[in-house]
Amino acid sequence: MTRNILVSTLAASIVCALGGTAQAQSARDSINIVGSSTVYPFTTTVAEQFGRAGKFKTPKVESTGTGGGLKLFCNGVGPQFPDIANASRRIKPAELATCAQNGVKDVVEIKVGYDGIVLAQSKAGAALNLTRKDVYLALAKTVPDPANPSALIPNPYTTWKSVNKSLPAVKIEVLGPPPTSGTRDSFAELYLEAGCRTFAWLNGLRDQDDLIVQKLGANKDAVGVFGYSFLEENLDKLKGAIVDGTSPTYETIASGKYPASRPLFIYVKKQHINVIPGITEFIAEYVSEKALGEEGYLAEKGLIPPLKNEIGKIRDDSKALKPLKL
């Protein structure tokens, strides 16, 4: 926004006087949340419950992807910027540094549960029992040369059977999330990088949820990548592929047995607390037993809640609002 020097100087002095809190306190009277499509349905459910209580307006929740949401979140302090970001992965040091550069210096991290990155397919498709090495070989741009394993060649694999003789002879077709998605980042880390590490000398990689589900229904041989909650919602038509000998289930993800489990977070802009009404109360609702407990309403929506031995610390930390340090 372009302003003359006098107004800019006055605004800057006000920010200093407020100690970095958000400006224009009356400019917005409801919470603004952006970020992960995986966390979106859970945060939306909390927002609806929170608004239903009547004391505060229902927060606005937008699904922008983790990367896109954190970018918006980190753009600055003030009512024109989001208060909270949903994330299906932990914020990166570079993102936190961008926040600081833009004046967002007190970011509070709250873990809200767990999810698994699943490979799902139509129930009509041939069952897949994969290892992460199989997934890496199927999707990497360059792979070790079978004739000379210490050299890389352009990926020659076109069917799952060509990757691993025990797999079905169907075309490799994987449908995944966009580059701004935390699910894509987690997939790269938990599947592709893990598969790559099975080759000791090698490091490398190839190049929306509801849309993927629709496409899987239309193509029985395709494989989709998304969070476990989307698989659970569509078990009438989809099934999860076995990965490293383990099927994706609520129990295997909660226990950590499933190899592609990941934590889910919300990030709160502490400088907006006591400026935008209801943020501390919204956090309290999110981590409450009725929401985040084993029998809470978020578990009914498909969220895998935090473990019993960590939920107490999560609640204590959410009250303390201690800024994150990486």
Side-chain angles (χ1 to χ4, degrees):
M1 182 180 294
T2 302
R3 300 183 182 182
N4 61 40
I5 294 174
L6 177 62
V7 175
S8 296
T9 303
L10 177 60
S13 66
I14 292 171
V15 171
C16 291
L18 292 176
T21 59
Q23 301 175 50
Q25 295 191 24
S26 62
R28 181 155 52 81
D29 61 357
S30 63
I31 300 167
N32 185 4
I33 306 170
V34 295
S36 165
S37 63
T38 299
V39 185
Y40 171 82
F42 308 128
T43 298
T44 298
T45 300
V46 177
E48 291 169 351
Q49 293 282 338
F50 181 72
R52 206 169 288 143
K55 186 175 180 181
F56 300 97
K57 288 188 175 181
T58 300
K60 177 183 177 182
V61 187
E62 296 179 85
S63 177
T64 62
T66 295
L70 287 171
K71 183 176 180 180
L72 293 168
F73 177 83
C74 289
N75 272 345
V77 175
Q80 68 270 42
F81 302 108
D83 311 303
I84 296 173
N86 297 322
S88 58
R89 57 163 172 80
R90 197 175 200 198
I91 191 171
K92 298 175 182 177
E95 291 168 329
L96 195 60
T98 299
C99 272
Q101 290 168 8
N102 292 331
V104 185
K105 297 181 179 179
D106 295 317
V107 176
V108 179
E109 177 183 83
I110 301 172
K111 185 190 291 184
V112 296
Y114 293 91
D115 186 30
I117 306 297
V118 301
L119 298 177
Q121 57 183 143
S122 167
K123 282 192 168 183
L128 291 174
N129 188 336
L130 302 167
T131 66
R132 283 176 287 178
K133 178 180 178 181
D134 294 334
V135 177
Y136 167 72
L137 289 176
L139 300 181
K141 184 176 181 179
T142 56
V143 296
D145 184 351
N148 180 15
S150 63
L152 291 174
I153 61 171
N155 194 319
Y157 303 116
T158 57
T159 68
W160 288 106
K161 192 172 186 67
S162 64
V163 168
N164 182 331
K165 294 188 187 309
S166 68
L167 297 174
V170 296
K171 180 183 176 183
I172 296 169
E173 185 173 354
V174 177
L175 308 170
T180 56
S181 170
T183 297
R184 186 183 180 114
D185 292 336
S186 296
F187 177 73
E189 176 185 354
L190 297 172
Y191 279 92
L192 300 179
E193 291 179 19
C196 177
R197 286 194 295 270
T198 63
F199 300 92
W201 61 278
L202 183 61
N203 291 302
L205 167 67
R206 191 199 224 174
D207 226 357
Q208 288 217 28
D209 293 320
D210 291 327
L211 180 60
I212 294 173
V213 170
Q214 293 174 20
K215 288 184 176 180
L216 292 178
N219 184 347
K220 67 181 180 62
D221 294 328
V223 175
V225 178
F226 40 63
Y228 173 74
S229 61
F230 285 92
L231 173 62
E232 187 176 55
E233 289 174 7
N234 294 278
L235 285 174
D236 58 326
K237 48 186 174 287
L238 301 180
K239 60 188 177 184
I242 295 171
V243 177
D244 288 346
T246 303
S247 297
T249 66
Y250 184 100
E251 291 74 20
T252 59
I253 293 169
S255 68
K257 183 179 179 182
Y258 184 68
S261 301
R262 60 172 175 173
L264 304 176
F265 302 94
I266 61 171
Y267 289 95
V268 180
K269 195 171 293 178
K270 189 173 181 179
Q271 289 148 293
H272 282 195
I273 291 175
N274 298 325
V275 177
I276 304 300
I279 294 178
T280 53
E281 292 83 356
F282 178 77
I283 295 169
E285 173 69 25
Y286 214 131
V287 301
S288 68
E289 183 65 21
K290 66 178 181 178
L292 213 55
E294 287 189 349
E295 304 299 326
Y297 61 74
L298 291 179
E300 294 178 2
K301 290 288 292 185
L303 178 69
I304 296 169
L307 304 174
K308 288 182 179 179
N309 62 3
E310 63 180 351
I311 188 62
K313 184 177 186 304
I314 288 171
R315 288 175 178 144
D316 289 344
D317 289 349
S318 72
K319 290 179 182 178
L321 296 171
K322 183 177 179 181
L324 175 65
K325 304 291 183 184
L326 292 180

mmCIF file of all heavy atoms in Angstrom, residues 4 38 59 66 78 143 163 214 222 299 317:
data_model
loop_
_atom_site.group_PDB
_atom_site.id
_atom_site.type_symbol
_atom_site.label_atom_id
_atom_site.label_comp_id
_atom_site.label_asym_id
_atom_site.label_seq_id
_atom_site.Cartn_x
_atom_site.Cartn_y
_atom_site.Cartn_z
ATOM 1 N N ASN A 4 1.992 8.503 1.835
ATOM 2 C CA ASN A 4 2.995 9.568 1.851
ATOM 3 C C ASN A 4 3.890 9.415 3.073
ATOM 4 O O ASN A 4 3.599 8.665 3.998
ATOM 5 C CB ASN A 4 2.358 10.961 1.788
ATOM 6 C CG ASN A 4 1.450 11.246 2.975
ATOM 7 O OD1 ASN A 4 1.784 10.889 4.090
ATOM 8 N ND2 ASN A 4 0.329 11.897 2.720
ATOM 9 N N THR A 38 -5.260 -30.605 4.220
ATOM 10 C CA THR A 38 -5.421 -31.757 5.106
ATOM 11 C C THR A 38 -5.973 -31.326 6.458
ATOM 12 O O THR A 38 -6.864 -31.979 7.026
ATOM 13 C CB THR A 38 -4.070 -32.477 5.302
ATOM 14 O OG1 THR A 38 -3.603 -32.954 4.040
ATOM 15 C CG2 THR A 38 -4.209 -33.655 6.256
ATOM 16 N N PRO A 59 -14.733 -18.174 12.851
ATOM 17 C CA PRO A 59 -13.529 -17.848 12.082
ATOM 18 C C PRO A 59 -13.678 -18.216 10.609
ATOM 19 O O PRO A 59 -14.366 -19.177 10.256
ATOM 20 C CB PRO A 59 -12.441 -18.703 12.751
ATOM 21 C CG PRO A 59 -12.937 -18.902 14.157
ATOM 22 C CD PRO A 59 -14.426 -19.029 14.020
ATOM 23 N N THR A 66 -0.340 -25.861 2.513
ATOM 24 C CA THR A 66 0.544 -25.478 3.611
ATOM 25 C C THR A 66 1.523 -24.381 3.198
ATOM 26 O O THR A 66 1.652 -23.357 3.876
ATOM 27 C CB THR A 66 1.324 -26.702 4.124
ATOM 28 O OG1 THR A 66 0.411 -27.648 4.693
ATOM 29 C CG2 THR A 66 2.345 -26.302 5.188
ATOM 30 N N GLY A 78 -0.824 -7.390 11.126
ATOM 31 C CA GLY A 78 -1.913 -6.446 10.917
ATOM 32 C C GLY A 78 -3.155 -7.172 10.455
ATOM 33 O O GLY A 78 -3.095 -8.344 10.052
ATOM 34 N N VAL A 143 17.183 -42.747 -11.942
ATOM 35 C CA VAL A 143 17.295 -43.883 -11.019
ATOM 36 C C VAL A 143 18.611 -44.614 -11.262
ATOM 37 O O VAL A 143 19.230 -44.464 -12.321
ATOM 38 C CB VAL A 143 16.114 -44.863 -11.211
ATOM 39 C CG1 VAL A 143 14.793 -44.202 -10.862
ATOM 40 C CG2 VAL A 143 16.087 -45.413 -12.629
ATOM 41 N N VAL A 163 9.253 -52.301 -12.119
ATOM 42 C CA VAL A 163 9.961 -51.858 -10.911
ATOM 43 C C VAL A 163 10.279 -53.039 -10.010
ATOM 44 O O VAL A 163 11.386 -53.179 -9.489
ATOM 45 C CB VAL A 163 9.104 -50.824 -10.141
ATOM 46 C CG1 VAL A 163 9.668 -50.562 -8.749
ATOM 47 C CG2 VAL A 163 9.001 -49.527 -10.923
ATOM 48 N N GLN A 214 -11.862 -38.473 -7.234
ATOM 49 C CA GLN A 214 -12.710 -38.651 -8.415
ATOM 50 C C GLN A 214 -11.959 -39.363 -9.540
ATOM 51 O O GLN A 214 -12.492 -40.270 -10.184
ATOM 52 C CB GLN A 214 -13.214 -37.299 -8.905
ATOM 53 C CG GLN A 214 -14.173 -36.605 -7.951
ATOM 54 C CD GLN A 214 -14.537 -35.208 -8.425
ATOM 55 O OE1 GLN A 214 -14.398 -34.878 -9.601
ATOM 56 N NE2 GLN A 214 -14.996 -34.373 -7.505
ATOM 57 N N ALA A 222 -4.779 -46.245 -11.462
ATOM 58 C CA ALA A 222 -4.045 -45.080 -10.952
ATOM 59 C C ALA A 222 -3.872 -45.178 -9.433
ATOM 60 O O ALA A 222 -4.612 -45.874 -8.737
ATOM 61 C CB ALA A 222 -4.776 -43.796 -11.314
ATOM 62 N N ALA A 299 -11.765 -36.514 16.312
ATOM 63 C CA ALA A 299 -11.525 -37.931 16.018
ATOM 64 C C ALA A 299 -12.656 -38.487 15.157
ATOM 65 O O ALA A 299 -12.428 -39.310 14.256
ATOM 66 C CB ALA A 299 -11.391 -38.729 17.314
ATOM 67 N N ASP A 317 1.580 -25.880 26.572
ATOM 68 C CA ASP A 317 2.279 -24.995 25.633
ATOM 69 C C ASP A 317 1.321 -24.029 24.950
ATOM 70 O O ASP A 317 1.671 -22.875 24.669
ATOM 71 C CB ASP A 317 3.016 -25.821 24.576
ATOM 72 C CG ASP A 317 4.230 -26.548 25.144
ATOM 73 O OD1 ASP A 317 4.623 -26.252 26.289
ATOM 74 O OD2 ASP A 317 4.778 -27.428 24.445
#
